[in-house]
Amino acid sequence: MLQWIRSYAFLIAMYGGMAVIGLGLFPWALTSEHAARRVAKIWCRWTLWCASWMVGLKTEVRGEIPTGEVLIASKHQSFLDIIIIFDAVPAAKFIMKRELLFTPVVGQYATRIGCVPVDRGKKGAAIAGMLRAAKASNEAHPGQLIIYPQGTRVAPDVKAPYKVGASLLHGYLKQTCIPAATNVGHFWPRLGVYRKPGLAVVEFLPPIGPEVTKAEFLSHLEEVVETASDRLLKEARDAAR
């Protein structure tokens, strides 16, 4: 019961912080992309700090943190992996569903830092639009472009296919891809309020070069990300015993 109370209090602190920080510093965010990014990072660090003492959820980033103009293809289990990655890398921007642009605070900041909205209902047309928008974003907002190759949040132990969009983006942009694994879904579920204490990890894995073919890319990406994510999940479960 106490952990439930802590979890509710944490959500209030997290979303309350989003409103206070995001709206209170919005005039500064309007001055430049750098300022908008700094405000977003302030909120990320506020959230990670609150999680650490309010619900006992610590976070850790492993592997070499990407700093250049690269594509990051990450396992996506909950909102927490978004927060950890954004806080870790210097200039993150996301491939995101278009509806999020209309979310208060989130949408305004996503636009300012160069996130790429995708209309998921249009399939082929959506992919073509994503490729063009990603290239334009890279030119206007250099940094680390993050895609979730399964297209949505996937809970631990649930299998979901890796979609072709990540492979097409890798081939089109001709950038190095950094795979990323995580176990955050064990502590912070896709849905629900309850947060478990423990150590949530995002791990950056060895790069996949731009010379890797489309045929090889997706299967290799899935293998390394799923293997590493399963290892991190086992680590989290073993620590809880």
Side-chain angles (χ1 to χ4, degrees):
M1 179 60 70
L2 181 58
Q3 192 67 17
W4 275 101
I5 294 171
R6 289 173 173 169
S7 297
Y8 275 107
F10 166 68
L11 287 183
I12 293 170
M14 181 179 75
Y15 288 111
M18 180 183 289
V20 172
I21 295 169
L23 295 176
L25 296 179
F26 192 62
W28 179 37
L30 288 174
T31 63
S32 69
E33 177 184 335
H34 173 75
R37 195 175 295 282
R38 291 303 305 159
V39 174
K41 282 183 177 285
I42 289 170
W43 175 77
C44 286
R45 290 171 188 177
W46 161 258
T47 300
L48 296 176
W49 178 72
C50 287
S52 69
W53 69 269
M54 295 183 78
V55 294
L57 179 53
K58 312 293 184 181
T59 59
E60 180 177 297
V61 177
R62 298 177 185 171
E64 185 175 351
I65 295 174
T67 57
E69 293 185 44
V70 297
L71 176 68
I72 297 174
S74 176
K75 185 76 173 175
H76 186 24
Q77 294 182 340
S78 75
F79 196 14
L80 181 56
D81 52 67
I82 294 176
I83 296 170
I84 294 173
I85 291 175
F86 189 89
D87 181 58
V89 306
K93 52 190 177 172
F94 296 86
I95 302 289
M96 56 185 279
K97 57 185 179 181
R98 184 172 295 277
E99 303 93 281
L100 290 176
L101 289 181
F102 306 102
T103 303
V105 183
V106 173
Q108 288 72 32
Y109 280 88
T111 300
R112 293 288 294 163
I113 66 174
C115 290
V116 178
V118 177
D119 188 344
R120 297 192 297 183
K122 293 184 178 180
K123 298 184 180 179
I127 290 178
M130 176 190 72
L131 297 178
R132 292 192 299 269
K135 186 173 183 179
S137 177
N138 280 354
E139 292 171 354
H141 310 274
Q144 300 80 47
L145 179 62
I146 298 144
I147 187 170
Y148 294 109
Q150 291 172 295
T152 189
R153 293 167 295 177
V154 178
D157 297 320
V158 174
K159 299 300 180 184
Y162 279 53
K163 298 183 178 181
V164 71
S167 179
L168 295 175
L169 194 61
H170 174 254
Y172 185 76
L173 296 178
K174 295 180 172 54
Q175 286 184 329
T176 295
C177 175
I178 308 298
T182 190
N183 63 4
V184 301
H186 177 73
F187 307 97
W188 181 318
R190 178 176 179 271
L191 300 171
V193 171
Y194 190 79
R195 305 289 183 260
K196 295 179 182 179
L199 180 64
V201 178
V202 167
E203 182 175 350
F204 294 111
L205 305 171
I208 303 173
E211 73 283 354
V212 175
T213 66
K214 293 178 184 178
E216 299 170 325
F217 175 82
L218 206 58
S219 60
H220 178 64
L221 177 67
E222 180 173 0
E223 180 182 0
V224 298
V225 171
E226 291 300 308
T227 299
S229 294
D230 288 345
R231 169 174 49 80
L232 293 175
L233 178 61
K234 182 178 184 301
E235 178 183 309
R237 287 172 171 166
D238 288 347
R241 291 175 182 170

